[in-house]
Amino acid sequence: MPLTSTLVEDLRKALSDAQAVSTENKELVSFAQSKYPQFPGSPHAVVVHASSTEDVVKVVKIANTHRVPVVPYAAGTSLEGNVSGSNGSVCIDLSQMKRVKEINVEDADVVCEAGVVWNELNDMLQEKGIPLFFPLDPGVGATIGGMIAQGCSGTNAVRYGTARGEYILNLTAVLPSGEVIKTRQRARKCSAGFDLTKLFIGAEGTLGIVTEATIRLVPRLATSVGVVSFPDPRSATLAVCDILNKGASIQCAELVDELSIRAIKLCGKFPMDWVETDTVLFKFQGSEAVRDDSSMIVQNVIGKYGGFGYRHVTKEEDVEQLWADRKNLLFGLLKMHPGHKGYITDVCVPVSKLPDLLLATKKELADRGLVSPLGGHVGDGNFHCFILYKTEEEMKLVMEVVDAMVHKAISLDGTCTGEHGIGLGKKKYLVEELGEGSVELLRTIKAALDPLNLFNPGKLYPEKPSKL
Amino acid sequence: MPLTSTLVEDLRKALSDAQAVSTENKELVSFAQSKYPQFPGSPHAVVVHASSTEDVVKVVKIANTHRVPVVPYAAGTSLEGNVSGSNGSVCIDLSQMKRVKEINVEDADVVCEAGVVWNELNDMLQEKGIPLFFPLDPGVGATIGGMIAQGCSGTNAVRYGTARGEYILNLTAVLPSGEVIKTRQRARKCSAGFDLTKLFIGAEGTLGIVTEATIRLVPRLATSVGVVSFPDPRSATLAVCDILNKGASIQCAELVDELSIRAIKLCGKFPMDWVETDTVLFKFQGSEAVRDDSSMIVQNVIGKYGGFGYRHVTKEEDVEQLWADRKNLLFGLLKMHPGHKGYITDVCVPVSKLPDLLLATKKELADRGLVSPLGGHVGDGNFHCFILYKTEEEMKLVMEVVDAMVHKAISLDGTCTGEHGIGLGKKKYLVEELGEGSVELLRTIKAALDPLNLFNPGKLYPEKPSKL
């Protein structure tokens, strides 16, 4: 009997719901890549739809016996091949583990399973009339477990920080041995030992599979948006640094360039007299007095940096439409370039270095006749590109630009990824960024926890240089 | 020749400054305990005053050769025996490594050595007219390296979080092998692998010796203080939860009890009509409009919880004096109880559970005729006690209370320490808090990085239960 059949048989025997174990070809393929498959993976041997931590333990123990790789999956919204299938792998699908087990309003926290989707959680809290929300905002549809595995963030990071901050109070993880641990209790602060919670944040499922977490909520506050035009990215960036250093209550600061403005004009619905130049959108949060105060700080600062045409959009429906227009600008771009796809990736540098990165990338694109919007989360120095291409030939040029952009970011004291993770796509840059010693330390910890290298193998850790 | 002499000789040969290697008895003893020696340590074999990362590397390599323990030391402000001397240990004193290597105003960060004292750094920034500060505020005199090793926080954690959050952008550490690594670059966000920076935060020098760090600054904002009385700790706590959930811009929320108010009345200098009852002091931050807005939120909420006598203190010198009076209340207590000492420790629970912890501890104290103020960082659920005692007999009773308090905190989903760390004092509670699996994971990582167990041995990791 081939290995796979006994593996599948063992899984079917172990799981109470035999339907949970699938060998349907469609699933073996679709669960082996993210929904935006920039890095297609090999089909899995089997997909298990887990419904509890106990299910995950059973699968891990059986995979251990059979010495087969285990790849976790939930929303499949990652971008760097972080959940691509390995050869003969068991995929553990956590997307059905969606229970919200506790909502502690006074303490502003929630205990939930890994498959809970962040925006659905926030909708649910709003429906219940709870004036709190979970502030990490990566791509819509991402799950809490995936967000933890990725060390995610999003536009709100200017105010709230990232998954590596203090919004994940604790988590439950199944280790490669099959043991279940909970990293911490529910108290907001804890200095009991080094931080086991953080060990799993950004480990991309290579050290453990997160099945449950306690996450912190924050007050849902009224929001308004300030929009201001700048002559170039450098003045826009320096203005943002200055505004943040003056203590304005800013939730997001997003830079959109000339090309993006054209795309918004094509597809956006909010009536706005856009100027086709580098533009910053600020989200202000709080009572009217607090928002007006922040808006005033922005107004007072921008003149020094050549900012012009400042508008403060305050009506709730206007704010929502304006923000949706910004988010939908990629559709506008694709409309302007029919038949194209966009290659998405991100890097991050100290905020003051962002203009150097943008200008260098602009040149790399122009040299190859390629097009991408050049903007991003300017409040954090996090830059996302969306490089348009049509042919295989163009795709090769895209990868040249990405390569140049990553090297440039690292040379500017930055990182090859601000929020998308390493996966397969960024492995080759890790030693350049962190140094061989730090990468070896990552490997040392991986080997201590997963000596058989079964948990999401091939991701995150670059191969050791061979000794010649 | 005894081991120590060759060790000392090797150190003197290796370090360029022979004066840096001390075997003076006074130093061997004083560096073997913190300045508040609740857990006295064995005298060191030798103390080395390091002046660079290279010095630390040399000492670690020599200690490795001689198989002697290495204990880092800087300000010596820790409380749980976190830097107590080990038998025959080499102490590496980092307090002379005080260089501030970069101040990046636009990016709001600083690159500095481990011996820099946080409050001195903030004074220096102010003197230079830089409108930024480092917001973690443990005991005055603590060093950046110690704060990282401890996973510290302080009163400002309500707004800014702790050392485990996002204020330590990267750090340079000397590993037990003598290898130097830098954990990350200077970008604000990074999702490149799991978080090596966090591995050293709260590890109490057991995994590496932090010699340098890049830390984030925040805007220095105008501050005012709101003071409000409550009938009991439960109403005070629930009011604070409600106020925080309404999004008031609060930097600190400190609860002081009846006894503390009496101590403040005895020693305080700010003219205030104190009521001897549970009292909350809020620090508001921002422009006048923002502070008034926060003050209004407090005023609107407290009535529901029986809060009374609300005052908003806004003049800068009044704010400073009032906050100093709160900080100095321990001197008032000692004045009320001449000849006594205070045993200091901390626990932390979910905020809503704080009243249960306070009331249970109050009973434990009363049962034994002991006295301690019962308050703390109510915005985080972090409770500090300062139990007064005079005799050895009373000290035993103190330890009974601490024991009961820690068990109670853990039973309330809390931790044996919110900000003081494990050291020697809290080791025995770690398995009860985290479970054997999580503690074993801490040990696994320790063994992978420090197989000879030379870095600050005996701290943090409780002994493995012997298999019978």
Side-chain angles (χ1 to χ4, degrees):
Chain A
M1 202 183 274
L3 182 65
T4 308
S5 331
T6 67
L7 169 69
V8 172
E9 210 170 277
D10 287 356
L11 288 167
R12 288 217 166 104
K13 260 188 236 154
L15 274 95
S16 47
D17 175 14
Q19 298 293 320
V21 181
S22 167
T23 51
E24 212 184 302
N25 196 49
K26 209 177 129 200
E27 292 212 322
L28 301 184
V29 171
S30 68
F31 281 87
Q33 27 253 316
S34 100
K35 284 172 186 150
Y36 199 83
Q38 304 191 143
F39 294 89
S42 318
H44 295 293
V46 54
V47 175
V48 181
H49 304 287
S51 49
S52 65
T53 301
E54 293 68 40
D55 279 357
V56 176
V57 171
K58 286 174 188 166
V59 178
V60 167
K61 287 190 169 163
I62 291 168
N64 248 316
T65 311
H66 289 265
R67 299 280 195 273
V68 292
V70 177
V71 182
Y73 198 97
T77 52
S78 60
L79 292 161
E80 297 286 354
N82 320 65
V83 291
S84 293
S86 257
N87 206 12
S89 44
V90 182
C91 174
I92 304 185
D93 166 34
L94 298 138
S95 65
Q96 293 176 15
M97 290 178 61
K98 290 177 94 101
R99 271 169 293 217
V100 175
K101 297 171 111 178
E102 281 177 37
I103 303 175
N104 300 298
V105 176
E106 286 156 355
D107 296 324
D109 64 46
V110 155
V111 182
C112 69
E113 289 183 329
V116 166
V117 170
W118 71 271
N119 45 297
E120 290 174 8
L121 173 69
N122 286 342
D123 290 346
M124 185 264 269
L125 292 167
Q126 188 151 28
E127 276 160 29
K128 282 185 185 291
I130 296 168
L132 302 168
F133 77 111
F134 183 58
L136 305 182
D137 63 331
V140 165
T143 62
I144 299 297
M147 290 158 75
I148 291 172
Q150 217 51 82
C152 83
S153 47
T155 64
N156 288 341
V158 177
R159 177 165 182 147
Y160 297 109
T162 77
R164 294 175 187 260
E166 303 197 80
Y167 291 96
I168 316 300
L169 288 179
N170 65 46
L171 55 85
T172 299
V174 180
L175 300 182
S177 62
E179 183 165 22
V180 180
I181 62 154
K182 189 175 159 187
T183 53
R184 216 177 99 172
Q185 301 238 72
R186 196 166 61 81
R188 241 176 230 193
K189 279 167 50 173
C190 172
S191 62
F194 58 87
D195 198 332
L196 289 180
T197 311
K198 299 298 197 301
L199 192 67
F200 298 94
I201 296 176
E204 305 189 7
T206 63
L207 300 180
I209 296 172
V210 175
T211 59
E212 198 173 305
T214 303
I215 60 179
R216 263 189 78 172
L217 307 176
V218 295
R220 192 186 299 116
L221 301 172
T223 301
S224 61
V225 173
V227 184
V228 52
S229 306
F230 287 95
D232 54 67
R234 193 172 306 276
S235 47
T237 302
L238 294 178
V240 170
C241 289
D242 199 348
I243 288 162
L244 290 174
N245 280 349
K246 289 204 159 49
S249 181
I250 283 174
Q251 182 180 352
C252 322
E254 294 293 310
L255 175 65
V256 286
D257 70 345
E258 200 185 323
L259 174 66
S260 305
I261 295 287
R262 280 207 293 276
I264 293 177
K265 281 170 86 170
L266 193 67
C267 271
K269 289 178 186 160
F270 181 66
M272 178 99 148
D273 194 16
W274 293 103
V275 184
E276 290 180 18
T277 186
D278 293 289
T279 304
V280 178
L281 287 84
F282 295 97
K283 254 192 192 175
F284 308 123
Q285 250 193 338
S287 68
E288 199 177 331
V290 171
R291 286 180 282 126
D292 286 347
D293 185 76
S294 297
S295 175
M296 193 56 72
I297 292 176
V298 172
Q299 265 183 284
N300 290 342
V301 165
I302 52 176
K304 192 174 154 191
Y305 301 92
F308 61 96
Y310 179 73
R311 289 135 290 176
H312 186 197
V313 178
T314 56
K315 267 172 64 185
E316 194 181 331
E317 58 272 31
D318 291 348
V319 166
E320 278 176 19
Q321 187 56 58
L322 181 56
W323 212 255
D325 287 355
R326 185 205 69 87
K327 215 158 190 169
N328 292 332
L329 73 88
L330 299 185
F331 299 109
L333 276 173
L334 291 173
K335 207 168 169 181
M336 287 158 71
H337 298 271
H340 283 68
K341 288 183 191 176
Y343 184 87
I344 304 177
T345 194
D346 87 315
V347 289
C348 189
V349 292
V351 183
S352 69
K353 307 286 189 193
L354 188 62
D356 296 334
L357 178 70
L358 293 178
L359 294 172
T361 307
K362 194 170 191 163
K363 190 179 173 311
E364 298 288 348
L365 288 164
D367 286 352
R368 291 169 183 82
L370 293 172
V371 165
S372 170
L374 292 168
H377 311 328
V378 61
D380 308 304
N382 191 191
F383 162 49
H384 291 236
C385 66
F386 184 79
I387 309 175
L388 296 172
Y389 68 98
K390 217 169 178 174
T391 63
E392 280 301 304
E393 271 315 296
E394 278 176 347
M395 183 61 196
K396 279 181 199 149
L397 299 176
V398 168
M399 294 319 290
E400 284 176 21
V401 174
V402 169
D403 203 53
M405 185 180 77
V406 172
H407 290 306
K408 181 75 184 174
I410 293 172
S411 78
L412 293 168
D413 222 344
T415 171
C416 64
T417 171
E419 53 183 42
H420 295 170
I422 296 293
L424 297 168
K426 296 287 175 69
K427 264 168 54 170
K428 62 179 164 186
Y429 305 111
L430 207 58
V431 171
E432 181 180 340
E433 178 177 333
L434 298 178
E436 185 57 42
S438 289
V439 172
E440 188 55 29
L441 181 53
L442 292 170
R443 289 191 199 108
T444 300
I445 291 170
K446 166 71 172 174
L449 267 76
D450 184 14
L452 299 173
N453 190 25
L454 294 181
F455 266 35
N456 207 10
K459 321 290 161 49
L460 201 153
Y461 312 90
E463 283 66 37
K464 234 172 159 157
S466 56
K467 282 178 193 157
L468 288 178
Chain B
M1 202 183 275
L3 184 62
T4 307
S5 332
T6 68
L7 170 67
V8 172
E9 210 170 276
D10 288 355
L11 288 167
R12 288 214 168 107
K13 260 189 240 156
L15 273 96
S16 47
D17 176 14
Q19 299 293 321
V21 181
S22 167
T23 52
E24 212 185 301
N25 197 49
K26 208 177 130 197
E27 291 211 322
L28 301 184
V29 172
S30 68
F31 280 87
Q33 27 253 316
S34 99
K35 284 174 185 148
Y36 200 84
Q38 302 192 144
F39 295 89
S42 319
H44 296 293
V46 54
V47 175
V48 181
H49 304 288
S51 51
S52 66
T53 300
E54 293 66 41
D55 279 359
V56 176
V57 170
K58 287 174 187 165
V59 178
V60 167
K61 287 191 169 162
I62 291 169
N64 247 317
T65 310
H66 288 267
R67 298 282 195 270
V68 292
V70 177
V71 182
Y73 197 97
T77 52
S78 61
L79 292 160
E80 297 286 353
N82 320 65
V83 290
S84 294
S86 255
N87 207 10
S89 44
V90 180
C91 174
I92 303 185
D93 166 33
L94 299 139
S95 64
Q96 295 176 12
M97 290 177 61
K98 290 175 94 99
R99 271 169 294 218
V100 176
K101 298 171 108 177
E102 281 177 35
I103 303 175
N104 300 299
V105 176
E106 285 156 355
D107 296 324
D109 64 47
V110 155
V111 182
C112 69
E113 290 183 328
V116 166
V117 171
W118 70 271
N119 44 295
E120 290 173 8
L121 173 69
N122 286 342
D123 289 347
M124 185 265 270
L125 292 168
Q126 188 150 28
E127 277 158 28
K128 282 185 185 291
I130 296 169
L132 302 167
F133 77 110
F134 184 58
L136 305 181
D137 63 331
V140 166
T143 62
I144 299 298
M147 290 159 75
I148 291 172
Q150 217 51 81
C152 83
S153 46
T155 63
N156 288 341
V158 176
R159 178 166 180 147
Y160 297 108
T162 77
R164 293 174 189 263
E166 304 195 77
Y167 292 97
I168 316 300
L169 288 180
N170 66 46
L171 55 85
T172 299
V174 179
L175 300 183
S177 63
E179 181 163 26
V180 180
I181 62 155
K182 188 174 159 189
T183 55
R184 215 178 98 174
Q185 301 237 71
R186 196 166 62 80
R188 242 175 227 194
K189 281 167 50 174
C190 173
S191 64
F194 58 88
D195 198 333
L196 288 179
T197 313
K198 299 298 197 302
L199 193 68
F200 298 93
I201 297 175
E204 304 189 6
T206 65
L207 300 181
I209 297 172
V210 175
T211 58
E212 197 174 306
T214 304
I215 60 180
R216 262 189 78 170
L217 308 176
V218 296
R220 192 185 299 117
L221 300 172
T223 301
S224 62
V225 173
V227 185
V228 52
S229 306
F230 287 96
D232 54 68
R234 192 170 307 276
S235 47
T237 303
L238 294 178
V240 170
C241 290
D242 200 346
I243 288 162
L244 289 175
N245 280 348
K246 289 202 160 53
S249 181
I250 284 174
Q251 181 180 354
C252 322
E254 294 292 308
L255 176 64
V256 285
D257 70 343
E258 202 185 322
L259 175 65
S260 305
I261 296 287
R262 279 207 294 278
I264 293 178
K265 281 170 85 170
L266 194 66
C267 272
K269 289 179 186 159
F270 181 66
M272 177 100 149
D273 194 16
W274 294 102
V275 183
E276 291 181 17
T277 185
D278 293 289
T279 303
V280 178
L281 286 83
F282 295 98
K283 253 193 194 174
F284 308 124
Q285 251 194 338
S287 68
E288 198 177 333
V290 171
R291 287 181 280 126
D292 285 348
D293 184 77
S294 297
S295 176
M296 193 55 73
I297 292 176
V298 172
Q299 264 182 285
N300 290 341
V301 165
I302 53 177
K304 190 174 155 193
Y305 301 93
F308 61 97
Y310 179 73
R311 287 136 292 174
H312 186 197
V313 178
T314 56
K315 266 171 62 184
E316 196 182 330
E317 59 270 31
D318 292 350
V319 165
E320 276 176 20
Q321 187 56 57
L322 181 55
W323 211 254
D325 287 355
R326 186 208 68 88
K327 213 155 192 174
N328 292 333
L329 72 87
L330 299 183
F331 299 107
L333 275 172
L334 291 172
K335 205 168 172 181
M336 287 159 71
H337 297 270
H340 282 69
K341 288 184 190 172
Y343 185 87
I344 304 176
T345 194
D346 87 314
V347 289
C348 189
V349 292
V351 184
S352 68
K353 307 286 188 192
L354 187 62
D356 296 334
L357 178 70
L358 293 177
L359 295 170
T361 306
K362 195 170 191 164
K363 191 179 172 310
E364 298 288 348
L365 287 164
D367 286 353
R368 291 168 182 84
L370 293 171
V371 164
S372 171
L374 292 168
H377 311 327
V378 60
D380 308 303
N382 190 191
F383 163 48
H384 290 236
C385 67
F386 184 79
I387 310 176
L388 297 170
Y389 67 98
K390 219 172 177 171
T391 64
E392 280 300 306
E393 270 316 296
E394 278 177 348
M395 183 59 197
K396 280 182 197 147
L397 298 176
V398 168
M399 294 318 291
E400 284 176 22
V401 173
V402 170
D403 203 54
M405 185 180 77
V406 172
H407 289 307
K408 182 73 184 176
I410 293 173
S411 78
L412 293 169
D413 222 344
T415 170
C416 64
T417 172
E419 53 184 41
H420 295 170
I422 295 293
L424 297 167
K426 296 288 176 65
K427 263 165 58 170
K428 62 180 163 186
Y429 304 112
L430 206 58
V431 171
E432 180 180 340
E433 179 178 332
L434 298 179
E436 185 55 42
S438 288
V439 172
E440 188 55 28
L441 181 52
L442 292 171
R443 289 191 199 107
T444 299
I445 291 169
K446 166 72 171 170
L449 267 75
D450 184 16
L452 299 172
N453 191 27
L454 294 182
F455 266 35
N456 207 10
K459 321 291 160 47
L460 201 155
Y461 311 90
E463 283 65 40
K464 235 172 157 157
S466 55
K467 281 178 191 155
L468 288 175

